[in-house]
Amino acid sequence: MGLGETAEDRIDMAVSLRRLGIKSVPVNLLNPIPGTPMEKQKPLDNEELRRIVAVYRFLLPDASIRLAGGRGLLADQGKSYVTGLILKKFNESGKSAAYYKAAMSGNHRNPDGTILPGDALDVKARSGISQPIEEMCPYVYETAVSPHLASRLEKNPIQWDEILRGFDRLCQQYEYITAEGSGGILCPLRFDREKIMLEDFIKARNFHCLLVADAGFGTINSVVLTAEYMKARSLCIKGIIFNHFEEGNVLHEDNRYLCEKLTGLKVLACVKNGEEHLPLSFEELEPLYE
């Protein structure tokens, strides 16, 4: 969205998607970058974004609508989607729960210069938690690249102490904190004169991890390699959650079986497209937060 299309164009696309029976609809927003053909295109503001999402929700009531916020590198494993469902489970159980992400890149910049923290907005909307957006992520970048590169390009380097302080403040206010990884396990948060990896953050606060993976093509390789890397570095993995799972799909069922066999980890839940509730009870979820 934001390429210069009309409102009628957007509606036509939604109608076409409904006709085709599409159940997963990522809404991508143009992120005008200097030096590209669309660099002078005016970004969409918040109100326009709300109207687009409202129209698509009305025309596609059964589809999973995901805000990509202009992030060309959006990981389709759906970590933020699953995180939102986890926090929703805590919230509905009357628990005090919060969300944290050390850094997020590829976000939409408003005309007034502020940047929308896309993942945080999505998690808050999906979960219904009362936590202020400002507490959720200390480093929010516009450029759609890995956080280590975005921070360098935007001249706002990630500071180790600031990441830890932000998380520790939440621990003093909330019962349960769910921290989402910034990219995959090997994604650097900073890589210049100072090197900060995602695993450093995990080790610093002794996190127990859930591995969120897409149920489809290529997941065996990514899940097994991630699990083996984490085990080699003594990072605790509590289990796997599959997203975009389709019951009866031979590929998805086989991926679940092989990922369990090859990693020794249990698939704790399989989240279907558009699912509004995590298929785990609070009693099953709570012990993962030790």
Side-chain angles (χ1 to χ4, degrees):
M1 302 295 176
L3 297 174
E5 75 281 353
T6 65
E8 289 75 17
D9 292 332
R10 295 168 186 165
I11 292 172
D12 286 345
M13 179 182 286
V15 171
S16 296
L17 292 171
R18 183 173 65 180
R19 188 181 300 120
L20 291 169
I22 303 300
K23 296 300 183 184
S24 181
V25 182
V27 178
N28 293 278
L29 306 177
L30 174 69
N31 190 359
I33 297 175
T36 65
M38 305 292 287
E39 65 178 346
K40 296 183 179 179
Q41 187 70 27
K42 183 181 179 181
L44 300 178
D45 59 24
N46 288 357
E47 190 57 36
E48 187 71 4
L49 173 58
R50 292 190 187 100
R51 283 197 292 267
I52 291 170
V53 173
V55 168
Y56 271 62
R57 172 50 65 215
F58 178 76
L59 293 175
L60 298 160
D62 298 324
S64 172
I65 297 175
R66 296 176 285 121
L67 297 182
R71 294 188 301 161
L73 301 181
L74 180 71
D76 200 35
Q77 288 89 348
K79 293 190 282 78
S80 298
Y81 185 90
V82 171
T83 301
L85 294 184
I86 289 172
L87 285 162
K88 183 177 183 179
K89 183 71 67 172
F90 281 112
N91 190 44
E92 291 178 341
S93 300
K95 303 299 181 181
S96 172
Y99 169 79
Y100 193 72
K101 190 169 185 176
M104 58 182 75
S105 54
N107 296 284
H108 177 69
R109 184 181 293 275
N110 287 322
D112 63 4
T114 58
I115 303 177
L116 290 173
D119 289 342
L121 289 168
D122 184 62
V123 167
K124 183 175 174 67
R126 194 172 308 282
S127 64
I129 58 175
S130 59
Q131 179 191 8
I133 289 289
E134 295 75 20
E135 295 179 353
M136 295 182 174
C137 182
Y139 293 98
V140 181
Y141 301 106
E142 178 184 10
T143 312
V145 293
S146 172
H148 81 281
L149 181 55
S151 65
R152 190 165 78 232
L153 293 173
E154 298 182 27
K155 296 180 173 55
N156 182 21
I158 293 171
Q159 303 296 330
W160 178 242
D161 289 344
E162 182 61 28
I163 291 173
L164 298 182
R165 275 196 299 268
F167 179 79
D168 292 343
R169 280 194 293 266
L170 296 184
C171 292
Q172 297 171 8
Q173 302 175 56
Y174 301 91
E175 294 179 85
Y176 300 92
I177 317 297
T178 302
E180 180 187 348
S182 301
I185 188 60
L186 278 168
C187 183
L189 296 174
R190 181 170 178 173
F191 208 81
D192 45 28
R193 59 180 175 79
E194 185 176 350
K195 293 177 176 58
I196 305 174
M197 305 295 290
L198 179 57
E199 67 180 88
D200 296 325
F201 184 37
I202 295 173
K203 289 179 178 178
R205 290 301 177 263
N206 195 29
F207 291 145
H208 290 180
C209 303
L210 292 173
L211 204 166
V212 178
D214 185 89
F217 183 76
T219 201
I220 296 173
N221 191 60
S222 62
V223 166
V224 175
L225 288 177
T226 298
E228 290 303 313
Y229 180 92
M230 295 180 72
K231 289 176 183 178
R233 282 153 177 78
S234 301
L235 302 176
C236 177
I237 313 173
K238 287 290 191 175
I240 303 167
I241 294 181
F242 273 144
N243 195 26
H244 309 308
F245 188 84
E246 299 174 7
E247 286 186 8
N249 184 307
V250 176
L251 173 64
H252 293 190
E253 299 283 0
D254 188 62
N255 282 344
R256 177 172 60 182
Y257 170 78
L258 281 175
C259 284
E260 287 192 330
K261 289 296 182 182
L262 293 173
T263 65
L265 299 170
K266 182 180 179 181
V267 174
L268 302 173
C270 293
V271 178
K272 302 174 186 176
N273 281 332
E275 194 146 28
E276 295 296 330
H277 297 279
L278 186 73
L280 277 177
S281 67
F282 173 74
E283 289 71 26
E284 294 172 307
L285 184 62
E286 187 181 33
L288 303 177
Y289 287 72
E290 295 179 354

